[in-house]
Amino acid sequence: DTAVSQTPKYLVTQMGNDKSIKCEQNLGHDTMYWYKQDSKKFLKIMFSYNNKELIINETVPNRFSPKSPDKAHLNLHINSLELGDSAVYFCASSRGDRPLSYEQYFGPGTRLTVT
Amino acid sequence: AQSVAQPEDQVNVAEGNPLTVKCTYSVSGNPYLFWYVQYPNRGLQFLLKYITGDNLVKGSYGFEAEFNKSQTSFHLKKPSALVSDSALYFCAARGGYSTLTFGKGTMLLVSP
């Protein structure tokens, strides 16, 4: 059984388009995250939701909008895609954001290529 | 601002030899330290964490890590490397009310 799943696995699109990535976790976790991994493998957090509420919003263009319909799902919608958005996007979940000791479980990633 | 440094881009080791992947951190307050592994085209997998207590932490697949408060280090170790350990390893840290910060990753290559 997949703990954290993401769809699609690959996404190729043109500049200016709008696209969404979906994430679901079946671990019963309260907190979900979106990370961006660039071409140099550097990993940076974008957003974090706890029980459907946004708790972390790092410096991310407002073209990126997360949506959490319930605590098992955290989707990422991207408007007006740019070349620099090309990256691998990872969804993750954890039991909670506090205490700080909870480890995170990652999905398989979505490789976004903007042409 | 907190930070995590992994000084080596790549570590090469022969199968059967011990391995060490280095990590130093800077966080406010008590540190919570993690190691994750990423295999090609896969998501990150949790290996182990340090919260408090014993400085030597044991984790998955025979890995362990040693916490050193005075050197602000959390090096990942394994007594005997396997070819299948070849992957990208990330150290991560958080403290205070901060988010989890990852190092840039260290590629471990284990040769037969």
Side-chain angles (χ1 to χ4, degrees):
Chain A
D1 288 341
T2 303
V4 182
S5 60
Q6 295 178 228
T7 54
K9 188 169 177 62
Y10 299 97
L11 187 53
V12 181
T13 188
Q14 292 184 329
M15 287 175 56
N17 285 351
D18 303 339
K19 290 294 179 184
S20 292
I21 306 171
K22 295 185 177 181
C23 177
E24 176 182 3
Q25 55 95 2
N26 63 6
L27 298 167
H29 287 168
D30 285 340
T31 306
M32 297 184 71
Y33 311 83
W34 277 110
Y35 286 88
K36 180 180 180 181
Q37 186 176 46
D38 63 23
S39 58
K40 295 185 178 181
K41 305 295 186 183
F42 184 71
L43 201 64
K44 185 171 172 57
I45 190 166
M46 301 173 69
F47 301 102
S48 174
Y49 268 73
N50 190 60
N51 281 321
K52 300 193 301 176
E53 290 190 14
L54 181 67
I55 55 172
I56 295 170
N57 184 352
E58 293 293 310
T59 306
V60 176
N62 57 14
R63 297 182 295 104
F64 290 79
S65 54
K67 284 187 172 51
S68 182
D70 54 62
K71 73 174 191 177
H73 296 84
L74 180 61
N75 303 323
L76 183 65
H77 188 76
I78 315 170
N79 290 327
S80 303
L81 278 155
E82 300 177 356
L83 292 176
D85 298 332
S86 295
V88 181
Y89 292 85
F90 287 102
C91 177
S93 72
S94 68
R95 287 175 59 188
D97 193 58
R98 295 287 183 270
L100 303 182
S101 56
Y102 288 142
E103 64 270 21
Q104 296 179 17
Y105 294 81
F106 284 76
T110 296
R111 183 176 295 276
L112 171 64
T113 303
V114 182
T115 61
Chain B
Q2 61 182 33
S3 63
V4 176
Q6 293 181 242
E8 302 149 319
D9 290 337
Q10 185 168 305
V11 169
N12 297 297
V13 64
E15 189 173 33
N17 283 358
L19 68 89
T20 298
V21 182
K22 296 179 180 178
C23 172
T24 58
Y25 65 90
S26 174
V27 302
S28 58
N30 293 322
Y32 296 83
L33 305 166
F34 304 81
W35 276 101
Y36 289 84
V37 59
Q38 184 178 24
Y39 296 100
N41 300 314
R42 303 282 295 274
L44 279 71
Q45 295 179 31
F46 168 73
L47 275 181
L48 51 80
K49 65 182 176 184
Y50 172 82
I51 305 170
T52 185
D54 289 342
N55 290 340
L56 187 63
V57 178
K58 294 188 183 296
S60 307
Y61 313 121
F63 283 94
E64 56 191 28
E66 187 169 11
F67 170 67
N68 186 316
K69 186 174 182 178
S70 63
Q71 297 185 5
T72 61
S73 67
F74 190 55
H75 300 331
L76 181 70
K77 300 182 179 186
K78 187 174 183 181
S80 179
L82 299 172
V83 172
S84 57
D85 292 330
S86 298
L88 185 59
Y89 289 80
F90 289 95
C91 180
R94 65 186 308 189
Y97 292 95
S98 62
T99 59
L100 190 63
T101 297
F102 286 84
K104 64 180 175 62
T106 298
M107 180 64 71
L108 173 66
L109 293 177
V110 182
S111 56

